Amino acid sequence: MKYLVTFLLVFMCTTHTHAQTKKIDSLNRLISLSRSDTQRINLKIKKLSILENGNLDSAIAFAKLVIGEAQQINYKNGEVNARMRLASD
């Protein structure tokens, strides 16, 4: 019984990690294909929400980059959303 529980725990952790990587890869592809700056910022905020579940250090660094990009293009809604994500991290 102990081995079964250990196996299931390892299996569930592994599948969650792969799903997270696939989502990030898919968002990276969409970010590279986005035509407008605001669309790119919104996709990066979605990517940020996925990063929050895995690695908080990466999420914080990425949030700061997104905030800087949003400020450069004067996209207040994107800046606010990224700052809210950063505050929750």
Side-chain angles (χ1 to χ4, degrees):
M1 184 68 178
K2 182 178 176 182
Y3 294 112
L4 178 64
V5 172
T6 305
F7 172 75
L8 289 175
L9 182 64
V10 170
F11 179 73
M12 288 173 32
C13 291
T14 306
T15 54
H16 179 68
T17 305
H18 291 301
Q20 199 173 42
T21 305
K22 288 180 183 178
K23 288 180 184 179
I24 290 175
D25 290 341
S26 142
L27 280 173
N28 283 338
R29 186 180 59 80
L30 289 174
I31 289 169
S32 67
L33 295 174
S34 65
R35 293 184 177 178
S36 70
D37 292 335
T38 55
Q39 183 182 23
R40 190 179 329 50
I41 296 294
N42 289 334
L43 289 170
K44 286 183 177 184
I45 291 171
K46 286 183 183 180
K47 179 180 173 182
L48 179 59
S49 67
I50 295 171
L51 285 174
E52 288 173 347
N53 295 330
N55 190 350
L56 286 179
D57 293 336
S58 298
I60 291 171
F62 188 67
K64 290 178 181 179
L65 291 173
V66 173
I67 290 169
E69 290 178 18
Q71 286 175 337
Q72 285 179 347
I73 64 169
N74 200 22
Y75 181 43
K76 298 294 182 188
N77 192 23
E79 182 182 351
V80 167
N81 287 335
R83 285 188 186 275
M84 287 173 52
R85 292 280 180 190
L86 178 62
S88 69
D89 290 342

